[in-house]
């Protein structure tokens, strides 16, 4: 997971850096997602691997807090970044006039900064006394304390699940439903128009379909991300509900590994669906020439 996550996301960053045609405001969000996934893979997997060799946590209390803080920060950043991508696609497709202001490079950079600050706030909370970071499962990794039933731990677990997973997921679902309905509506309108007005309407429809292509890539990324993190969310909510005793060490560790593996999928998704990204890699990296 670590090797593929670091290499794959480094290739995504390299492709976007090399090809200026890829350096558009919507693609800044994809680049930002690659950065958070890269940092997740490089900070989590090597430590997890070393601890697994020793069959326990060997980096002390401070190491545990740093490890868990990084996992939380980069994991939350990825989820909120997916939310931002969905809102971006929603505005571009359903409100094209407002999208002119929304999609400027300066505003995009501000939104990316807000993603990192929002994620940082949730990650810092356990270090400041709202819950805490402790070893989990097989004691080879650390996370926030969702097992100990205290008001601070229970409130943090509930709020984190709501405002970092379920609420963003609800907004993402709403955005994609509106996008689908808007495209369907536009297609029907074009069919009803006369031949004179149809030409300009078809141009508008083609523009929307181009934006929809990027939205479809984002949709696949979101589905994979949600499937990766859902088992972990379920485990934490089982413990929150007071049934932590039924969870054995493996049932806590395996969902954590599946969640951290979310960092490896996106480069493969882009390689399969995103033609410009695929062709850039084929051109710049000799051993990946087959991608073209």
């Amino acid at each position: 997971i670590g090797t593929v996550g670091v290499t794959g996301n480094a290739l995504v960053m390299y492709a976007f850096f090399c090809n200026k045609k890829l350096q558009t405001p919507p693609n800044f969000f994809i680049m930002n997602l690659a950065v958070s996934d890269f940092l997740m893979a490089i900070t989590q997997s090597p430590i997890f691997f070393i601890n697994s060799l020793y069959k326990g946590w060997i980096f002390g209390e401070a190491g545990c807090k740093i490890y868990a803080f990084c996992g939380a920060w980069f994991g939350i950043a990825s989820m909120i970044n997916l939310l931002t991508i969905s809102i971006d696609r929603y505005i571009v497709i359903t409100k094209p006039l407002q999208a002119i202001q929304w999609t400027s490079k300066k505003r995009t950079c501000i939104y990316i900064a807000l993603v990192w600050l929002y994620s940082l706030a949730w990650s810092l909370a356990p270090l400041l006394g709202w819950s805490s970071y402790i070893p989990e499962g097989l004691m080879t990794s650390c996370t926030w304390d969702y097992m100990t039933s205290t008001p601070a731990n229970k409130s943090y677990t509930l709020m984190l699940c709501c405002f970092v997973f379920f609420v963003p997921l609800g907004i993402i679902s709403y955005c994609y439903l509106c996008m689908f309905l808007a495209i369907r509506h536009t297609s029907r309108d074009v069919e009803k128009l006369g031949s004179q007005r149809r030409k300009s309407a078809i141009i508008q429809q083609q523009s929307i379909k181009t934006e929809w292509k990027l939205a479809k890539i984002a949709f696949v990324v979101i589905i994979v991300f949600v499937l990766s993190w859902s088992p972990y969310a379920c485990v934490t909510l089982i413990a929150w509900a007071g049934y932590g005793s039924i969870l054995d060490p493996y049932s806590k560790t395996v969902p954590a590994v599946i969640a951290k593996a979310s960092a490896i999928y996106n480069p493969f998704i882009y390689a399969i669906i995103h033609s410009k990204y695929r062709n850039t890699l084929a051109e710049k990296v000799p051993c990946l020439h087959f991608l073209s």
Side-chain angles (χ1 to χ4, degrees):
I1 291 168
T3 305
V4 175
V6 170
T7 308
N9 287 292
L11 285 171
V12 173
M13 292 187 281
Y14 178 69
F16 283 98
F17 179 74
C18 288
N19 189 344
K20 289 194 174 180
K21 288 181 181 177
L22 288 171
Q23 292 171 20
T24 60
N27 283 337
F28 282 5
F29 293 121
I30 288 177
M31 176 71 168
N32 192 43
L33 186 61
V35 170
S36 62
D37 284 345
F38 174 84
L39 291 171
M40 171 69 100
I42 207 166
T43 60
Q44 302 295 293
S45 296
I47 306 294
F48 204 133
F49 176 68
I50 293 165
N51 285 320
S52 296
L53 293 178
Y54 284 92
K55 299 183 180 180
W57 187 264
I58 63 165
F59 293 99
E61 189 181 340
C64 179
K65 287 179 179 178
I66 294 166
Y67 173 90
F69 167 76
C70 290
W73 192 16
F74 305 138
I76 294 168
S78 293
M79 183 63 185
I80 304 306
N81 200 63
L82 291 174
L83 171 63
T84 316
I85 290 171
S86 302
I87 294 169
D88 170 70
R89 296 293 84 204
Y90 165 76
I91 291 172
V92 168
I93 289 170
T94 63
K95 305 178 192 302
L97 294 174
Q98 286 175 272
I100 296 165
Q101 288 183 325
W102 166 268
T103 55
S104 69
K105 285 189 177 182
K106 186 180 177 183
R107 277 181 178 247
T108 302
C109 290
I110 291 169
Y111 299 136
I112 286 171
L114 290 173
V115 166
W116 285 101
L117 287 171
Y118 182 81
S119 310
L120 180 63
W122 282 105
S123 312
L124 281 174
L127 295 176
L128 301 175
W130 190 19
S131 189
S132 59
Y133 288 131
I134 59 165
E136 67 168 339
L138 296 168
M139 303 297 140
T140 49
S141 66
C142 290
T143 189
W144 83 95
D145 186 0
Y146 57 82
M147 289 298 293
T148 310
S149 185
T150 65
N153 289 342
K154 294 193 84 166
S155 61
Y156 180 77
T157 299
L158 183 62
M159 299 296 276
L160 187 72
C161 286
C162 285
F163 291 102
V164 168
F165 192 74
F166 292 113
V167 170
L169 192 55
I171 296 169
I172 288 167
S173 302
Y174 172 79
C175 288
Y176 271 90
L177 178 64
C178 289
M179 281 187 269
F180 174 74
L181 293 173
I183 288 164
R184 199 174 169 191
H185 185 68
T186 306
S187 300
R188 285 179 178 175
D189 285 352
V190 169
E191 287 170 13
K192 290 176 186 175
L193 291 171
S195 57
Q196 289 294 322
R197 290 170 63 197
R198 189 176 287 180
K199 285 182 183 178
S200 63
I202 286 171
I203 292 167
Q204 184 188 356
Q205 188 187 26
Q206 288 299 324
S207 173
I208 288 173
K209 281 188 176 178
T210 303
E211 300 294 351
W212 177 240
K213 280 181 185 176
L214 189 56
K216 282 194 286 188
I217 295 169
F219 183 69
V220 175
V221 169
I222 288 159
I223 291 293
V224 171
F225 187 88
V226 169
L227 290 175
S228 297
W229 281 92
S230 291
Y232 200 58
C234 289
V235 166
T236 58
L237 288 175
I238 287 167
W240 174 83
Y243 298 101
S245 57
I246 67 169
L247 300 170
D248 63 20
Y250 282 97
S251 65
K252 288 179 275 185
T253 300
V254 172
V257 176
I258 295 169
K260 281 160 187 170
S262 65
I264 72 173
Y265 306 126
N266 296 344
F268 292 104
I269 294 167
Y270 304 144
I272 293 164
I273 306 175
H274 202 308
S275 57
K276 282 183 184 174
Y277 164 73
R278 190 169 61 244
N279 293 334
T280 302
L281 278 186
E283 183 188 333
K284 300 290 182 183
V285 185
C287 63
L288 297 176
H289 186 67
F290 66 91
L291 286 173
S292 63

